[in-house]
Amino acid sequence: MITQRLLAVLASASLGTPLLADKNDTPLTSEQILKKVTYPAAEFEATVFASPPQVSYPIYVSAAPDGTLFIGCDPNGSLDRKPGLGKVIMARDTDGDGKADKFTTFCTVDSPRGVAWDASTRTLYVMHPPNLTAYHDDNNTGVANRQEDLITGLGFGLDFRGADHTTNGCRLAIDGWIYIAVGDYGAVKATGKDGRSFEMRGGGIVRVRPDGTGMERVVWNTRNILSVAISPTLELFTRDNTNDGDDGNDRLSFN
């Protein structure tokens, strides 16, 4: 049987369980972290790629072709509303040992709920409701030097409530479009960079070109989806739920 390697990014908010060894906020070791992870050991090998204090409260991850990870970190979790806490960490393994050893704060932003890296343009697309913003690293320093909003008003910001049920997750698909998962808050008026706008009642999937033009709804009438998975032939998959922890009313949607 072929063994596949699973690089786990684990931090203090993973699965809602702080990865701390004691009350003094001492981070767990890699061995202690892996004891908390369940996976098919006969088929996978799990290692810890990054953990606290360098990476904490990860929400979304995007991988570059060279293995560099961009990790959206949000200490607010899903319900808190404190501004100025969110950031995207760039984590690199420079010595090839399977663990990140170089970390930079690529950008600071409230509620980084989705990240998608385009290596060809050195641009990180960040969905931080209610905006989708392109952060550019023109100088290859691991820190964005300029930014531009591609969509505004897609969901709600911290002035309304926490990022729970709002717009979460984005993917850069093989067709060159950015696909965005919209939670059941929808949007009062989402506006693209070209001025195209619409209202959205309930959840769904929105797509936009990387320059902020052509924004359109692709899927609607979902509820609380977090992300969208996209196959090479552009099938769309989402995990949706209506249970909020009360029963098993989950569903996998194919579009």
Side-chain angles (χ1 to χ4, degrees):
M1 179 178 296
I2 298 176
T3 299
Q4 304 181 52
R5 189 172 183 85
L6 175 64
L7 295 180
V9 177
L10 301 173
S12 59
S14 293
L15 304 178
T17 303
L19 297 181
L20 305 174
D22 55 38
K23 295 182 179 179
N24 295 320
D25 291 345
T26 301
L28 297 180
T29 65
S30 294
E31 292 74 18
Q32 290 171 322
I33 290 173
L34 290 175
K35 287 181 180 179
K36 295 176 174 287
V37 180
T38 301
Y39 62 95
E43 300 176 18
F44 291 90
E45 176 187 357
T47 62
V48 176
F49 185 76
S51 60
Q54 289 83 9
V55 174
S56 296
Y57 298 93
I59 300 296
Y60 211 91
V61 173
S62 180
D66 66 355
T68 298
L69 292 188
F70 296 84
I71 309 162
C73 300
D74 186 7
N76 276 326
S78 61
L79 297 177
D80 213 347
R81 299 170 57 188
K82 297 182 180 69
L85 298 182
K87 57 186 174 181
V88 178
I89 299 294
M90 189 178 76
R92 286 177 171 170
D93 172 16
T94 63
D95 56 11
D97 67 351
K99 296 181 180 180
D101 51 69
K102 183 177 180 180
F103 302 86
T104 59
T105 299
F106 191 85
C107 61
T108 56
V109 56
D110 287 336
S111 306
R113 311 299 291 191
V115 291
W117 173 248
D118 183 354
S120 66
T121 61
R122 297 204 57 79
T123 300
L124 184 71
Y125 300 98
V126 180
M127 186 64 230
H128 56 111
N131 298 342
L132 174 71
T133 302
Y135 289 88
H136 305 281
D137 179 13
D138 300 314
N139 303 318
N140 194 19
T141 62
V143 178
N145 62 297
R146 61 186 178 93
Q147 65 186 72
E148 54 181 327
D149 288 335
L150 306 181
I151 299 177
T152 60
L154 187 59
F156 297 85
L158 295 178
D159 55 338
F160 178 70
R161 63 167 289 177
D164 184 38
H165 288 247
T166 186
T167 309
N168 295 276
C170 61
R171 297 281 188 185
L172 184 60
I174 196 171
D175 61 354
W177 289 72
I178 300 169
Y179 289 76
I180 305 166
V182 181
D184 59 345
Y185 287 177
V188 175
K189 185 179 181 181
T191 305
K193 196 172 181 180
D194 59 358
R196 180 178 294 193
S197 64
F198 55 71
E199 300 175 0
M200 190 167 182
R201 183 178 179 85
I205 299 173
V206 170
R207 73 174 188 174
V208 67
R209 295 187 179 95
D211 61 358
T213 65
M215 180 184 65
E216 60 184 5
R217 286 166 289 187
V218 179
V219 176
W220 49 91
N221 292 332
T222 65
R223 186 182 180 256
N224 186 28
I225 60 175
L226 173 66
S227 180
V228 52
I230 308 173
S231 77
T233 50
L234 296 179
E235 291 96 353
L236 307 179
F237 299 88
T238 61
R239 180 189 175 276
D240 205 347
N241 83 85
T242 314
N243 67 358
D244 288 336
D246 294 329
D247 55 46
N249 192 7
D250 294 348
R251 51 203 169 273
L252 179 66
S253 301
F254 167 76
N255 303 282

